[in-house]
Amino acid sequence: MGHKDWKALARKAANEQDPKKLLAIIEELNEALEEREKQVRGRVSTKTEQGNRLLFVDDEASIRLTLPPILQERGFQVQIAASVSEARTAIKAHKFDVLLSDQTSTLTEKAMDSPSSTPCEKPIPIA
């Protein structure tokens, strides 16, 4: 399966008036975004500076695709998780300096409960 241009699909969706066609385009766009996310997840940053390892947790593929590159441009070594389960696995395997999660995530201090991390006393909301 070839790489689909998710940006072109997004433009096409924005201009589509027929609801049935729009749903089909959105499904194709989601597939393209998931494929792109797999590519982004496969990249490993070589930076090892202290204080820059970030675990980014979000259940929306489009968010996982767009925000991590911005964080990487600002010097963070970003690992992505799509669920609490994936986040827990990552936390057990690696030490992170920052955990960034959307407000609807069910991450709790128990999710951070591992020998390689120290949980915050309370979440820090970012608006």
Side-chain angles (χ1 to χ4, degrees):
M1 181 177 183
H3 298 290
K4 295 181 182 178
D5 183 356
W6 65 270
K7 292 177 185 177
L9 288 168
R11 284 189 297 273
K12 187 176 177 181
N15 294 320
E16 184 57 58
Q17 298 296 316
D18 183 330
K20 288 182 182 180
K21 289 180 181 178
L22 178 59
L23 287 174
I25 295 168
I26 290 172
E27 286 180 23
E28 192 175 357
L29 176 59
N30 282 336
E31 289 174 11
L33 289 172
E34 286 175 10
E35 183 179 324
R36 177 72 177 126
E37 180 185 12
K38 288 177 186 175
Q39 292 172 350
V40 170
R41 280 187 182 203
R43 294 182 192 153
V44 177
S45 174
T46 57
K47 292 183 181 182
T48 56
E49 296 174 27
Q50 192 167 1
N52 73 340
R53 290 192 43 89
L54 183 143
L55 177 59
F56 184 81
V57 186
D58 200 295
D59 58 349
E60 290 186 48
S62 59
I63 302 297
R64 291 191 308 268
L65 178 65
T66 55
L67 286 180
I70 294 168
L71 295 166
Q72 288 171 331
E73 288 174 3
R74 286 166 177 71
F76 288 98
Q77 182 180 357
V78 180
Q79 184 167 341
I80 303 166
S83 67
V84 172
S85 175
E86 282 185 28
R88 285 182 177 144
T89 300
I91 290 166
K92 288 178 184 175
H94 305 286
K95 179 178 178 4
F96 295 96
D97 303 299
V98 178
L99 177 117
L100 183 59
S101 158
D102 68 349
Q103 201 169 17
T104 60
S105 177
T106 57
L107 284 172
T108 64
E109 285 188 21
K110 286 187 177 185
M112 295 290 293
D113 200 11
S114 81
S116 66
S117 64
T118 305
C120 296
E121 288 184 22
K122 63 180 180 177
I124 302 169
I126 300 172

